[in-house]
Amino acid sequence: MSSFYRQLDDRTFDSLPSTAGPWSPHAQHAGPPAALLARAMEQHEPAPGTRLADVRLDILGPIPVRPLTIATEVLRGGRSMQLLQATASVDGRPAAVARAWRITRAPDDFPHLAGRRPATVEPVPQASGSGHLQMPGAHEDGYLKAIEWRVVSGGVGTGGVTLAWGRQLVPLVEGEEPTGWQRALVLADSGGGITLTLDPRRHTYINCDLHVALDRDPEGEWIRMDSQALASPGHGGTVHTTLADARGELGTGLQTMVSMDARP
């Protein structure tokens, strides 16, 4: 595996086999497209002293493993905050759309507010086993092989609560070093994967969106995810994730889950 995407021109990216999600070799995991759209917004008319504060992805349907055309625009301009939107299209049809607030960075002497966060997090555990998620009936030669996981507690099939460190093993775009935001988004959409407990042959539990808000840009290649899957019979489900790096917690992720009976 060389990367998730290969850039073909200013707006077009070839989706490589590593983008394929666990349920089909022909449909992408949402993590790489989310990061690709964040990359587009990071690079769109960049302004010194600003940063992305959040990224909200809406998945408009299965995202084919085919070339993506990216269009980016400013929905709301301003000196201290801008609302950006990036859309990924396949053959002229939108497949995913993301919005992000790009805001002025806080001054270095701004008061530190820690809330209920712990002062530190545990180090990345030693490698154990293959390092790849094992999911029943999954396509394992795409995204699942491009990500290394080191589980601290929980895991697939253990009740819907998982604490794990993960890192991408390939670049987002061929020949580029991913930014911290891009690394976080490649992993964040896996909250529903690392907590998978329901049998996908009996129950559909997939996300239609992803919202990540970070008050600090991630550092280093490892992203820590503390995720819990929730479902209310007769209503729906969500997956909540607290994100961290080696310095400590830095933000949250939220996925809205479509919860249905998968049996005919």
Side-chain angles (χ1 to χ4, degrees), residues 159-162 191-192 195-198 204-206 227-233 235-241 253-259:
V161 178
T162 295
T195 59
L196 180 68
T197 294
L198 302 175
T204 296
Y205 189 70
I206 58 174
S227 300
Q228 59 174 324
L230 305 167
S232 295
H235 295 272
T238 55
V239 173
H240 298 242
T241 298
L254 176 66
Q255 296 165 284
T256 303
M257 309 302 291
V258 180
S259 310

Side-chain angles (χ1 to χ4, degrees), residues 55-174:
V55 174
R56 302 176 308 287
L57 174 76
D58 289 309
I59 305 164
L60 306 182
I63 304 173
V65 182
R66 297 178 60 187
L68 300 179
T69 301
I70 308 299
T72 311
E73 59 183 316
V74 177
L75 298 181
R76 191 269 196 196
R79 298 179 60 182
S80 61
M81 62 187 77
Q82 299 173 327
L83 181 61
L84 307 177
Q85 178 171 288
T87 303
S89 298
V90 178
D91 296 332
R93 177 176 296 180
V97 59
R99 288 186 176 185
W101 282 103
R102 184 165 60 193
I103 64 173
T104 300
R105 288 183 178 272
D108 290 339
D109 60 354
F110 195 85
H112 179 66
L113 303 174
R116 295 189 178 92
R117 286 178 172 171
T120 60
V121 295
E122 78 287 333
V124 180
Q126 295 294 316
S128 177
S130 70
H132 302 302
L133 285 188
Q134 304 295 315
M135 302 170 68
H139 169 68
E140 298 182 352
D141 291 330
Y143 177 88
L144 293 187
K145 188 171 287 186
I147 304 297
E148 178 183 2
W149 292 100
R150 298 190 184 178
V151 176
V152 177
S153 61
V156 174
T158 61
V161 178
T162 295
L163 173 59
W165 290 84
R167 64 172 174 173
Q168 61 189 88
L169 301 177
V170 301
L172 177 67
V173 175
E174 188 176 63

Side-chain angles (χ1 to χ4, degrees), residues 180-200:
W181 254 108
Q182 293 165 25
R183 291 184 184 278
L185 287 166
V186 165
L187 273 292
D189 190 66
S190 291
I194 63 175
T195 59
L196 180 68
T197 294
L198 302 175
D199 185 341

